[in-house]
Amino acid sequence: MRIALYFGSFNPVHNGHLIIANFIANYFPIDQVWFIVSPLNPLKRLGALLNEHHRKHLVDLSIDEERRMRTSNVEFHLPKPSFTIDTLTFLSEQYPDHEFSIVMGADSLSNISRWKNYEVLLKNYEIIVYRREGFEIIPFKNSKIIVAKAPLLNISSSMIREMIKEKKSIRFLVPDIVKEEIERNGYYSER
Protein backbone atom coordinates (compact mmCIF):
# COMPACT_ATOMS: atom_id res chain seq x y z
CA MET A 1 0.00 0.00 0.00
CA ARG A 2 1.16 3.55 -0.74
CA ILE A 3 0.74 5.78 2.29
CA ALA A 4 1.17 9.56 2.44
CA LEU A 5 2.17 10.57 5.97
CA TYR A 6 0.89 14.00 6.95
CA PHE A 7 2.87 14.97 10.07
CA GLY A 8 1.73 17.82 12.25
CA SER A 9 0.74 19.15 15.62
CA PHE A 10 -2.81 19.73 14.35
CA ASN A 11 -3.30 22.21 17.18
CA PRO A 12 -6.16 22.27 16.21
CA VAL A 13 -6.85 20.51 12.95
CA HIS A 14 -8.54 22.90 10.50
CA ASN A 15 -10.12 22.90 7.07
CA GLY A 16 -6.81 23.82 5.44
CA HIS A 17 -5.27 20.56 6.71
CA LEU A 18 -8.28 18.60 5.50
CA ILE A 19 -8.36 20.23 2.06
CA ILE A 20 -4.65 19.41 1.58
CA ALA A 21 -5.18 15.79 2.68
CA ASN A 22 -8.19 15.44 0.40
CA PHE A 23 -6.23 16.89 -2.52
CA ILE A 24 -3.35 14.44 -1.93
CA ALA A 25 -5.79 11.52 -1.63
CA ASN A 26 -7.49 12.45 -4.89
CA TYR A 27 -4.62 13.62 -7.11
CA PHE A 28 -1.71 11.39 -6.13
CA PRO A 29 -1.26 7.66 -6.66
CA ILE A 30 -1.60 6.78 -2.98
CA ASP A 31 -3.99 4.52 -1.11
CA GLN A 32 -4.32 6.43 2.16
CA VAL A 33 -3.32 9.64 3.94
CA TRP A 34 -2.32 9.10 7.56
CA PHE A 35 -2.42 12.08 9.91
CA ILE A 36 0.57 11.58 12.23
CA VAL A 37 -0.26 13.62 15.32
CA SER A 38 3.01 14.81 16.84
CA PRO A 39 2.98 15.01 20.64
CA LEU A 40 6.05 17.26 20.69
CA ASN A 41 7.59 18.86 17.63
CA PRO A 42 11.24 19.70 18.36
CA LEU A 43 10.88 22.98 16.45
CA LYS A 44 7.77 24.27 18.27
CA ARG A 45 6.98 25.59 21.75
CA LEU A 46 5.42 23.04 24.11
CA GLY A 47 3.30 25.48 26.11
CA ALA A 48 0.81 26.20 23.32
CA LEU A 49 0.04 22.53 22.63
CA LEU A 50 -3.26 20.96 23.61
CA ASN A 51 -2.85 17.43 25.00
CA GLU A 52 -1.97 15.06 22.13
CA HIS A 53 -4.92 12.73 22.84
CA HIS A 54 -7.35 15.65 22.52
CA ARG A 55 -5.70 16.78 19.28
CA LYS A 56 -5.89 13.25 17.85
CA HIS A 57 -9.54 13.05 18.88
CA LEU A 58 -10.27 16.28 16.97
CA VAL A 59 -8.59 14.84 13.86
CA ASP A 60 -10.55 11.58 14.31
CA LEU A 61 -13.79 13.55 14.42
CA SER A 62 -12.87 15.58 11.34
CA ILE A 63 -12.10 12.58 9.11
CA ASP A 64 -14.74 10.18 10.40
CA GLU A 65 -16.02 7.99 7.53
CA GLU A 66 -13.25 9.08 5.14
CA ARG A 67 -12.06 5.67 3.99
CA ARG A 68 -8.79 7.00 2.54
CA MET A 69 -7.75 8.90 5.68
CA ARG A 70 -6.84 7.82 9.18
CA THR A 71 -5.06 9.14 12.23
CA SER A 72 -2.06 7.63 13.92
CA ASN A 73 -0.77 7.97 17.46
CA VAL A 74 2.49 6.20 16.59
CA GLU A 75 4.58 9.12 17.89
CA PHE A 76 2.84 8.97 21.27
CA HIS A 77 4.80 5.76 21.94
CA LEU A 78 8.17 6.87 20.56
CA PRO A 79 10.81 8.96 22.38
CA LYS A 80 10.04 12.68 22.56
CA PRO A 81 10.57 15.03 20.91
CA SER A 82 9.32 13.39 17.74
CA PHE A 83 11.73 13.17 14.82
CA THR A 84 10.26 12.33 11.43
CA ILE A 85 13.13 10.03 10.46
CA ASP A 86 12.66 7.94 13.65
CA THR A 87 8.92 7.62 13.00
CA LEU A 88 9.54 6.59 9.39
CA THR A 89 12.10 4.00 10.48
CA PHE A 90 9.62 2.57 12.98
CA LEU A 91 6.72 2.54 10.48
CA SER A 92 8.88 0.94 7.79
CA GLU A 93 9.75 -1.87 10.22
CA GLN A 94 6.12 -2.31 11.31
CA TYR A 95 4.73 -2.19 7.76
CA PRO A 96 7.40 -3.59 5.44
CA ASP A 97 4.91 -3.92 2.55
CA HIS A 98 3.94 -0.23 2.66
CA GLU A 99 5.60 2.54 0.70
CA PHE A 100 5.65 5.84 2.60
CA SER A 101 5.65 9.41 1.30
CA ILE A 102 5.78 12.57 3.40
CA VAL A 103 3.35 15.48 3.03
CA MET A 104 4.64 18.88 4.11
CA GLY A 105 4.18 22.56 3.45
CA ALA A 106 6.74 24.75 1.72
CA ASP A 107 7.35 26.39 5.13
CA SER A 108 8.51 23.06 6.58
CA LEU A 109 10.62 22.29 3.52
CA SER A 110 12.34 25.66 3.91
CA ASN A 111 13.78 24.61 7.28
CA ILE A 112 14.27 20.90 6.59
CA SER A 113 18.03 21.31 7.00
CA ARG A 114 17.30 21.68 10.76
CA TRP A 115 15.65 18.24 10.85
CA LYS A 116 17.40 15.16 12.19
CA ASN A 117 18.97 13.19 9.30
CA TYR A 118 17.19 15.33 6.75
CA GLU A 119 19.50 14.09 3.97
CA VAL A 120 18.18 10.55 4.49
CA LEU A 121 14.58 11.82 4.25
CA LEU A 122 15.30 13.70 1.04
CA LYS A 123 17.12 10.78 -0.55
CA ASN A 124 14.90 7.88 0.49
CA TYR A 125 11.35 9.23 0.66
CA GLU A 126 9.05 10.94 -1.78
CA ILE A 127 8.12 14.33 -0.34
CA ILE A 128 4.86 15.88 -1.48
CA VAL A 129 5.11 19.62 -0.87
CA TYR A 130 2.16 22.00 -0.92
CA ARG A 131 2.57 25.73 -1.41
CA ARG A 132 2.47 28.14 1.52
CA GLU A 133 2.27 31.90 1.17
CA GLY A 134 5.68 33.56 1.48
CA PHE A 135 7.70 30.36 0.97
CA GLU A 136 9.43 29.29 -2.21
CA ILE A 137 9.73 25.57 -2.95
CA ILE A 138 13.45 25.02 -3.36
CA PRO A 139 14.61 21.80 -5.03
CA PHE A 140 17.25 19.76 -3.23
CA LYS A 141 19.85 17.65 -4.98
CA ASN A 142 19.11 13.90 -4.90
CA SER A 143 15.61 14.46 -3.54
CA LYS A 144 12.22 13.10 -4.53
CA ILE A 145 10.24 16.32 -4.08
CA ILE A 146 6.91 16.59 -5.87
CA VAL A 147 4.98 19.84 -5.78
CA ALA A 148 1.25 19.49 -5.11
CA LYS A 149 -0.74 22.13 -6.93
CA ALA A 150 -3.22 22.15 -4.07
CA PRO A 151 -5.29 25.23 -3.24
CA LEU A 152 -3.27 27.91 -1.47
CA LEU A 153 -5.03 28.54 1.83
CA ASN A 154 -3.87 31.02 4.41
CA ILE A 155 -5.37 29.30 7.47
CA SER A 156 -3.23 28.47 10.48
CA SER A 157 -3.80 26.74 13.78
CA SER A 158 -2.16 29.66 15.60
CA MET A 159 -4.65 32.07 14.01
CA ILE A 160 -7.53 29.83 15.11
CA ARG A 161 -6.18 29.60 18.68
CA GLU A 162 -5.89 33.39 18.81
CA MET A 163 -9.45 33.79 17.52
CA ILE A 164 -10.72 31.44 20.24
CA LYS A 165 -8.91 33.44 22.93
CA GLU A 166 -10.46 36.62 21.52
CA LYS A 167 -13.90 34.93 21.53
CA LYS A 168 -14.26 35.25 17.75
CA SER A 169 -16.10 32.69 15.64
CA ILE A 170 -14.03 29.94 14.05
CA ARG A 171 -16.96 28.69 12.01
CA PHE A 172 -15.95 27.76 8.44
CA LEU A 173 -12.28 27.46 9.51
CA VAL A 174 -12.71 24.07 11.20
CA PRO A 175 -15.30 21.33 10.67
CA ASP A 176 -18.47 22.00 12.66
CA ILE A 177 -17.93 18.89 14.77
CA VAL A 178 -14.41 20.11 15.71
CA LYS A 179 -15.76 23.57 16.55
CA GLU A 180 -18.42 22.01 18.80
CA GLU A 181 -15.86 19.80 20.58
CA ILE A 182 -13.49 22.75 21.14
CA GLU A 183 -16.33 24.86 22.56
CA ARG A 184 -17.77 22.03 24.71
CA ASN A 185 -14.37 21.40 26.33
CA GLY A 186 -13.12 24.98 26.45
CA TYR A 187 -10.00 24.12 24.45
CA TYR A 188 -7.67 27.07 23.75
CA SER A 189 -9.77 29.58 25.67
CA GLU A 190 -8.41 31.57 28.60
CA ARG A 191 -9.77 30.13 31.80
Side-chain angles (χ1 to χ4, degrees):
M1 237 177 27
R2 294 196 66 195
I3 308 296
L5 302 175
Y6 193 177
F7 289 85
S9 300
F10 305 112
N11 189 39
V13 65
H14 55 69
N15 289 338
H17 294 129
L18 301 170
I19 289 168
I20 295 295
N22 187 59
F23 184 90
I24 302 299
N26 282 294
Y27 290 97
F28 283 81
I30 57 122
D31 298 301
Q32 289 185 333
V33 175
W34 291 3
F35 287 78
I36 308 294
V37 180
S38 300
L40 179 56
N41 180 322
L43 301 179
K44 291 191 178 179
R45 277 189 321 114
L46 175 60
L49 280 176
L50 185 66
N51 173 285
E52 64 258 30
H53 297 283
H54 297 317
R55 288 183 282 123
K56 180 185 180 298
H57 178 63
L58 293 175
V59 178
D60 288 337
L61 290 173
S62 70
I63 63 170
D64 187 39
E65 298 183 22
E66 287 294 329
R67 65 177 184 76
R68 295 190 61 205
M69 296 180 198
R70 64 173 260 203
T71 58
S72 171
N73 65 356
V74 64
E75 290 193 343
F76 296 10
H77 310 291
L78 296 174
K80 292 165 189 61
S82 308
F83 294 101
T84 301
I85 191 64
D86 296 338
T87 305
L88 278 162
T89 301
F90 179 80
L91 288 172
S92 296
E93 290 170 358
Q94 293 294 306
Y95 303 98
D97 296 335
H98 289 8
E99 183 180 331
F100 295 104
S101 299
I102 305 165
V103 176
M104 71 173 65
D107 53 334
S108 294
L109 183 65
S110 73
N111 69 24
I112 200 165
S113 62
R114 296 173 55 200
W115 294 25
K116 178 181 177 183
N117 298 341
Y118 77 96
E119 302 95 339
V120 176
L121 287 173
L122 291 171
K123 182 180 176 199
N124 295 326
Y125 294 95
E126 177 181 86
I127 300 178
I128 302 168
V129 181
Y130 57 91
R131 296 171 301 134
R132 293 292 301 260
E133 189 174 299
F135 293 91
E136 187 178 339
I137 298 175
I138 302 164
F140 286 83
K141 187 178 179 183
N142 299 323
S143 67
K144 301 174 184 178
I145 294 174
I146 299 169
V147 178
K149 293 186 172 31
L152 180 59
L153 303 163
N154 201 11
I155 302 172
S156 72
S157 295
S158 59
M159 175 188 79
I160 291 168
R161 291 192 307 270
E162 193 61 34
M163 290 176 72
I164 293 168
K165 285 180 187 166
E166 294 173 358
K167 299 186 179 358
K168 294 184 181 341
S169 174
I170 59 169
R171 187 168 184 223
F172 308 118
L173 296 173
V174 300
D176 288 341
I177 195 161
V178 170
K179 175 184 171 291
E180 292 164 10
E181 191 74 2
I182 287 171
E183 289 172 351
R184 181 173 27 259
N185 291 288
Y187 296 152
Y188 307 111
S189 59
E190 300 288 355
R191 295 181 189 209

PDB file of all heavy atoms in Angstrom, residues 37-48:
ATOM      1  N   VAL A  37      -0.155  12.568  14.310  1.00  0.00           N
ATOM      2  CA  VAL A  37      -0.263  13.620  15.320  1.00  0.00           C
ATOM      3  C   VAL A  37       1.001  13.604  16.170  1.00  0.00           C
ATOM      4  O   VAL A  37       1.308  12.611  16.828  1.00  0.00           O
ATOM      5  CB  VAL A  37      -1.527  13.433  16.188  1.00  0.00           C
ATOM      6  CG1 VAL A  37      -1.624  14.533  17.241  1.00  0.00           C
ATOM      7  CG2 VAL A  37      -2.777  13.399  15.312  1.00  0.00           C
ATOM      8  N   SER A  38       1.741  14.705  16.115  1.00  0.00           N
ATOM      9  CA  SER A  38       3.015  14.809  16.836  1.00  0.00           C
ATOM     10  C   SER A  38       2.782  15.327  18.253  1.00  0.00           C
ATOM     11  O   SER A  38       2.263  16.426  18.426  1.00  0.00           O
ATOM     12  CB  SER A  38       3.957  15.767  16.097  1.00  0.00           C
ATOM     13  OG  SER A  38       4.198  15.302  14.796  1.00  0.00           O
ATOM     14  N   PRO A  39       3.168  14.538  19.266  1.00  0.00           N
ATOM     15  CA  PRO A  39       2.982  15.013  20.637  1.00  0.00           C
ATOM     16  C   PRO A  39       3.909  16.174  20.978  1.00  0.00           C
ATOM     17  O   PRO A  39       3.545  17.051  21.752  1.00  0.00           O
ATOM     18  CB  PRO A  39       3.287  13.790  21.495  1.00  0.00           C
ATOM     19  CG  PRO A  39       4.065  12.874  20.638  1.00  0.00           C
ATOM     20  CD  PRO A  39       3.723  13.180  19.211  1.00  0.00           C
ATOM     21  N   LEU A  40       5.095  16.193  20.388  1.00  0.00           N
ATOM     22  CA  LEU A  40       6.051  17.257  20.694  1.00  0.00           C
ATOM     23  C   LEU A  40       6.976  17.444  19.502  1.00  0.00           C
ATOM     24  O   LEU A  40       7.861  16.639  19.251  1.00  0.00           O
ATOM     25  CB  LEU A  40       6.874  16.905  21.941  1.00  0.00           C
ATOM     26  CG  LEU A  40       7.930  17.919  22.372  1.00  0.00           C
ATOM     27  CD1 LEU A  40       7.311  19.297  22.601  1.00  0.00           C
ATOM     28  CD2 LEU A  40       8.635  17.444  23.622  1.00  0.00           C
ATOM     29  N   ASN A  41       6.747  18.506  18.768  1.00  0.00           N
ATOM     30  CA  ASN A  41       7.586  18.858  17.628  1.00  0.00           C
ATOM     31  C   ASN A  41       8.831  19.558  18.171  1.00  0.00           C
ATOM     32  O   ASN A  41       8.705  20.528  18.912  1.00  0.00           O
ATOM     33  CB  ASN A  41       6.797  19.790  16.695  1.00  0.00           C
ATOM     34  CG  ASN A  41       7.572  20.215  15.472  1.00  0.00           C
ATOM     35  OD1 ASN A  41       8.771  20.458  15.525  1.00  0.00           O
ATOM     36  ND2 ASN A  41       6.881  20.312  14.361  1.00  0.00           N
ATOM     37  N   PRO A  42      10.027  19.086  17.807  1.00  0.00           N
ATOM     38  CA  PRO A  42      11.239  19.697  18.360  1.00  0.00           C
ATOM     39  C   PRO A  42      11.440  21.153  17.939  1.00  0.00           C
ATOM     40  O   PRO A  42      12.224  21.869  18.548  1.00  0.00           O
ATOM     41  CB  PRO A  42      12.366  18.808  17.830  1.00  0.00           C
ATOM     42  CG  PRO A  42      11.779  18.060  16.691  1.00  0.00           C
ATOM     43  CD  PRO A  42      10.312  17.965  16.931  1.00  0.00           C
ATOM     44  N   LEU A  43      10.715  21.605  16.917  1.00  0.00           N
ATOM     45  CA  LEU A  43      10.885  22.982  16.446  1.00  0.00           C
ATOM     46  C   LEU A  43       9.752  23.905  16.895  1.00  0.00           C
ATOM     47  O   LEU A  43       9.657  25.036  16.441  1.00  0.00           O
ATOM     48  CB  LEU A  43      10.999  22.996  14.906  1.00  0.00           C
ATOM     49  CG  LEU A  43      12.152  22.177  14.330  1.00  0.00           C
ATOM     50  CD1 LEU A  43      12.145  22.239  12.809  1.00  0.00           C
ATOM     51  CD2 LEU A  43      13.492  22.638  14.874  1.00  0.00           C
ATOM     52  N   LYS A  44       8.880  23.429  17.795  1.00  0.00           N
ATOM     53  CA  LYS A  44       7.766  24.266  18.267  1.00  0.00           C
ATOM     54  C   LYS A  44       7.757  24.344  19.787  1.00  0.00           C
ATOM     55  O   LYS A  44       8.257  23.447  20.470  1.00  0.00           O
ATOM     56  CB  LYS A  44       6.423  23.704  17.779  1.00  0.00           C
ATOM     57  CG  LYS A  44       6.229  23.850  16.285  1.00  0.00           C
ATOM     58  CD  LYS A  44       4.810  23.547  15.882  1.00  0.00           C
ATOM     59  CE  LYS A  44       4.631  23.760  14.386  1.00  0.00           C
ATOM     60  NZ  LYS A  44       3.288  23.466  13.948  1.00  0.00           N
ATOM     61  N   ARG A  45       7.113  25.409  20.302  1.00  0.00           N
ATOM     62  CA  ARG A  45       6.977  25.590  21.750  1.00  0.00           C
ATOM     63  C   ARG A  45       5.989  24.579  22.316  1.00  0.00           C
ATOM     64  O   ARG A  45       4.931  24.350  21.740  1.00  0.00           O
ATOM     65  CB  ARG A  45       6.414  26.989  22.054  1.00  0.00           C
ATOM     66  CG  ARG A  45       7.389  28.100  22.068  1.00  0.00           C
ATOM     67  CD  ARG A  45       6.804  29.409  22.577  1.00  0.00           C
ATOM     68  NE  ARG A  45       5.457  29.698  22.157  1.00  0.00           N
ATOM     69  CZ  ARG A  45       4.403  29.756  22.969  1.00  0.00           C
ATOM     70  NH1 ARG A  45       4.516  29.537  24.250  1.00  0.00           N
ATOM     71  NH2 ARG A  45       3.210  30.052  22.501  1.00  0.00           N
ATOM     72  N   LEU A  46       6.301  24.006  23.462  1.00  0.00           N
ATOM     73  CA  LEU A  46       5.423  23.042  24.110  1.00  0.00           C
ATOM     74  C   LEU A  46       4.200  23.705  24.731  1.00  0.00           C
ATOM     75  O   LEU A  46       3.096  23.194  24.651  1.00  0.00           O
ATOM     76  CB  LEU A  46       6.203  22.266  25.192  1.00  0.00           C
ATOM     77  CG  LEU A  46       5.392  21.297  26.061  1.00  0.00           C
ATOM     78  CD1 LEU A  46       4.742  20.228  25.207  1.00  0.00           C
ATOM     79  CD2 LEU A  46       6.265  20.668  27.123  1.00  0.00           C
ATOM     80  N   GLY A  47       4.358  24.860  25.332  1.00  0.00           N
ATOM     81  CA  GLY A  47       3.296  25.485  26.114  1.00  0.00           C
ATOM     82  C   GLY A  47       1.989  25.691  25.385  1.00  0.00           C
ATOM     83  O   GLY A  47       0.924  25.666  25.989  1.00  0.00           O
ATOM     84  N   ALA A  48       2.020  25.908  24.085  1.00  0.00           N
ATOM     85  CA  ALA A  48       0.809  26.196  23.318  1.00  0.00           C
ATOM     86  C   ALA A  48       0.087  24.940  22.845  1.00  0.00           C
ATOM     87  O   ALA A  48      -0.950  25.031  22.212  1.00  0.00           O
ATOM     88  CB  ALA A  48       1.165  27.076  22.116  1.00  0.00           C
TER      89      ALA A  48
END
